[in-house]
């Protein structure tokens, strides 16, 4: 896929498809979502079409319906099958998309607003912009070598960042060790995964499902007077 082919699809297939299936939508305005692949970002056709492009953060497959929803279903369909030619693969893929019910597409799209909300809430420096600007916050990391490297300490000192001391060999004081990792282990215990992508997807779902209240509650339990 290059930018010329992508532009051709938008102009000659997508726009006529919207006109035929969603009458009046083009005049009301189209909110268009695609990821940051080079053919997408280099294409000028979207401006001509008059579509409003929804911003897509870099390296965010969890916000692309094709990645978090559609391709996962396709992988399940193709799992364990063998093909003699590229044409056979193409036919199976096309048949899969043609037979996938509308309700399945709707389910995948309806998951998007919640994922978008989580993405916005995860931007800590935007949520607490005033504290970030005033340097009114404390950094807590463990004593792994990348955290205690001289260049890192110099950077923190340069910006007057206060760092909470962390005793050596104290995983019981690291939230990721005493809380996050056990939650994740319990969720995927006994599961079998076919590839790394499936592990990453399940891990993300588990971590995203944890509420802010639960995180604060577990942290406060460990922050007891010594």
């Amino acid at each position: 896929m290059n930018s010329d082919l992508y532009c051709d699809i938008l102009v000659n297939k997508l726009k006529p498809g919207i006109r035929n299936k969603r009458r009046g939508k083009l005049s009301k305005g189209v909110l268009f979502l695609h990821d940051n692949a080079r053919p997408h970002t280099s294409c000028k056709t979207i401006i001509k079409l008059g579509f409003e492009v929804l911003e897509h953060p870099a390296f965010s497959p969890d916000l692309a319906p094709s990645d978090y929803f559609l391709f996962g279903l396709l992988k399940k369909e193709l799992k364990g099958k063998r093909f003699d030619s590229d044409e056979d693969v193409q036919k199976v893929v096309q048949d899969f998309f043609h037979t996938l019910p509308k309700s399945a597409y709707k389910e995948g799209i309806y998951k998007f607003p919640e994922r978008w909300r989580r993405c916005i809430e995860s931007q800590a420096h935007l949520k607490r912009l005033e504290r970030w600007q005033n340097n009114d916050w404390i950094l807590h990391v463990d004593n792994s070598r990348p955290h205690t490297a001289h260049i890192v300490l110099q950077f923190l000192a340069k910006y007057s960042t206060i760092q909470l001391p962390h005793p050596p060999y104290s995983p019981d004081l690291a939230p990721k060790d005493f809380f996050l990792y056990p939650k994740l282990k319990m969720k995927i215990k006994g599961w079998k995964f076919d590839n790394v992508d499936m592990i990453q997807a399940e891990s993300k779902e588990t971590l995203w499902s944890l509420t802010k209240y639960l995180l604060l509650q577990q942290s406060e339990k460990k922050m007891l007077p010594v």
Side-chain angles (χ1 to χ4, degrees), residues 148-197:
T148 57
H150 183 63
I151 190 172
V152 174
L153 298 180
Q154 282 184 323
F155 176 85
L156 296 176
K158 178 181 178 180
Y159 292 97
S160 303
T161 301
I162 301 175
Q163 188 170 359
L164 189 66
H166 188 86
Y169 311 108
S170 302
D172 56 316
L173 295 180
K176 68 179 188 305
D177 288 305
F178 70 71
F179 172 65
L180 286 180
Y181 291 164
K183 286 284 186 183
L184 184 57
K185 289 178 181 178
M186 290 176 61
K187 177 65 176 178
I188 64 177
K189 182 179 180 181
W191 285 38
K192 290 185 177 181
F193 300 94
D194 296 326
N195 52 55
V196 175
D197 292 339

Side-chain angles (χ1 to χ4, degrees), residues 49-160:
L49 293 175
F51 290 171
E52 179 182 353
V53 181
L54 194 62
E55 293 185 10
H56 186 85
F59 310 109
S60 301
D62 54 316
L63 292 180
S66 57
D67 287 301
Y68 72 72
F69 161 69
L70 201 55
F71 292 160
L73 295 178
L74 180 59
K75 287 179 180 178
K76 291 181 180 179
E77 177 69 18
L78 300 179
K79 181 180 178 182
K81 295 182 179 180
R82 303 185 67 177
F83 304 94
D84 297 325
S85 65
D86 292 343
E87 289 74 15
D88 290 343
V89 178
Q90 293 174 358
K91 184 180 186 308
V92 171
V93 172
Q94 290 174 354
D95 290 344
F96 169 77
F97 287 137
H98 289 157
T99 57
L100 197 64
K102 291 182 179 180
S103 58
Y105 287 103
K106 184 182 295 186
E107 179 184 355
I109 294 298
Y110 279 8
K111 290 180 179 179
F112 180 73
E114 176 63 17
R115 288 172 173 268
W116 185 269
R117 181 188 65 79
R118 291 173 180 175
C119 177
I120 294 174
E121 291 183 351
S122 69
Q123 304 299 313
H125 64 290
L126 296 177
K127 289 171 58 182
R128 305 291 180 87
L129 184 58
E130 183 178 351
R131 300 193 68 174
W132 179 271
Q133 293 175 336
N134 297 331
N135 201 29
D136 183 23
W137 60 287
I138 298 176
L139 176 66
H140 177 215
V141 294
D142 60 21
N143 296 308
S144 61
R145 188 168 296 179
H147 300 164
T148 57
H150 183 63
I151 190 172
V152 174
L153 298 180
Q154 282 184 323
F155 176 85
L156 296 176
K158 178 181 178 180
Y159 292 97
S160 303

Side-chain angles (χ1 to χ4, degrees), residues 22-31 50 52:
R22 301 291 298 276
R23 295 186 180 279
K25 184 64 178 176
L26 289 175
S27 60
K28 293 179 181 179
V30 174
L31 190 60
E52 179 182 353

